[in-house]
Amino acid sequence: VGRLHPMKRILETIVALRKLNRSDWHLTIVGTLTKEIPFKTLRQAVGPSWGGQVEYIGELQRAQLGPIYAMSDALVLFSHRENFGYAVGEAMCAGLPVAITDGVDLHTLVARSNCGLVRAIRTENDIAGALNALLDLS
């Protein structure tokens, strides 16, 4: 949820999910396309998972996010850096666990409150490890 920008590691997250070779996930992407990540780049990263395990909804207004959160099992945000992290707070208020990096300002609250996973992400393997840990939760 948010703008699609390299700072958010959305392309790396998509690639890591695809490489996991697991069928127990579905990624819904909500956000504004940017010049750094236009539709064509997003579509190429998703590859054959487009419309199946990966769905791009587009930009939604804050009031429209409720149903998206309600149908979701978790929020994933592996951002390099995130001031505060409104989407993280919204997801937590909707009762969702979150999987985030230690670069998201809310990471101490998430860890202290046991509201999800907080990981240091430096490589694509770190993303894969965090995603596997999330998918293995009950």
Side-chain angles (χ1 to χ4, degrees), residues 36-128:
E36 294 85 1
I37 302 181
F39 182 81
K40 181 180 177 182
T41 301
L42 181 66
R43 178 71 176 88
Q44 286 174 337
V46 173
S49 298
W50 187 263
Q53 284 186 285
V54 180
E55 177 182 14
Y56 174 61
I57 295 180
E59 181 179 0
L60 297 178
Q61 299 303 313
R62 191 167 309 279
Q64 297 172 295
L65 293 174
I68 301 299
Y69 290 135
M71 72 176 209
S72 299
D73 293 317
L75 175 98
V76 175
L77 179 63
F78 295 137
S79 192
H80 286 277
R81 179 89 182 107
E82 192 74 32
N83 293 332
F84 187 71
Y86 286 101
V88 174
E90 289 170 353
M92 289 169 49
C93 286
L96 293 178
V98 296
I100 62 173
T101 67
D102 58 357
V104 176
D105 282 356
L106 282 178
H107 79 273
T108 55
L109 174 67
V110 171
R112 203 174 48 238
S113 304
N114 198 26
C115 293
L117 303 173
V118 177
R119 296 288 193 267
I121 303 290
R122 306 294 178 252
T123 68
E124 189 179 300
N125 287 337
D126 294 335
I127 293 174

Side-chain angles (χ1 to χ4, degrees), residues 9-22 25 27 45 78 123-132 135:
R9 290 190 176 113
I10 185 65
L11 298 178
E12 295 93 327
T13 300
I14 292 166
V15 170
L17 274 168
R18 289 185 55 218
K19 287 182 178 179
L20 288 181
N21 199 25
R22 294 177 64 154
W25 62 268
L27 178 66
F78 295 137
T123 68
E124 189 179 300
N125 287 337
D126 294 335
I127 293 174
L131 291 168
N132 264 323
L135 292 171

